[in-house]
Amino acid sequence: MTDTTPSLVTFGTFGTTVVAVGARPERHPDAARQLEKAGFAYRPDAGVHELPAETHPQDVVLRIEFAADLLTAAGVDGLGIDPDLTRLLEQQARHLAAQAHTAGLPGPDGPPAPTSRDPHGGAPSPTRTR
């Protein structure tokens, strides 16, 4: 028989906002405090903790990991993540990688190879003639 008990805290999305569901301060004050330490703000009208809308996608991942670490250290059992959040984060990561590639910034495979013969990556020195 499988356990169908829902996770105490599940990270997911609410529209385009990243949220943590299941840690209402009146029911789970320790979990709520840990989420707030990780940067999630409680919205009593919706009953969820959320990250600010302008949070950078890479920061979202770090904040979720930090919140999960804090919750685990505080003894919270049953953390979950909604598959829709996973897809959203993967989509945002691909978009950021494409922007970085277009801008010539280092991507996941490292910086672009230098095009000059100068070992420091600068323009080649003009050859002196005597």
Side-chain angles (χ1 to χ4, degrees):
M1 189 153 112
T2 59
D3 183 11
T4 57
T5 305
S7 299
L8 175 62
V9 176
T10 300
F11 296 98
T13 58
F14 185 68
T16 58
T17 304
V18 176
V19 297
V21 180
R24 289 178 176 256
E26 64 274 9
R27 291 190 199 151
H28 305 287
D30 289 339
R33 263 192 307 279
Q34 301 311 319
L35 287 169
E36 289 167 9
K37 283 181 187 177
F40 287 80
Y42 185 64
R43 284 193 46 201
D45 58 322
V48 300
H49 285 80
E50 70 179 8
L51 287 177
E54 66 276 358
T55 305
H56 191 277
Q58 291 171 332
D59 194 31
V60 167
V61 173
L62 294 174
R63 288 180 183 273
I64 290 171
E65 289 176 352
F66 183 50
D69 288 345
L70 290 172
L71 290 165
T72 301
V76 174
D77 287 331
L79 299 179
I81 190 159
D82 185 340
D84 287 338
L85 175 58
T86 303
R87 283 190 285 279
L88 174 69
L89 294 173
E90 288 171 351
Q91 179 185 32
Q92 289 175 341
R94 284 192 301 273
H95 178 73
L96 289 171
Q99 282 181 329
H101 179 72
T102 303
L105 299 174
D109 298 329
T115 55
S116 72
R117 294 180 186 233
D118 179 80
H120 303 290
S125 303
T127 308
R128 273 196 219 178
T129 56
R130 290 185 185 209

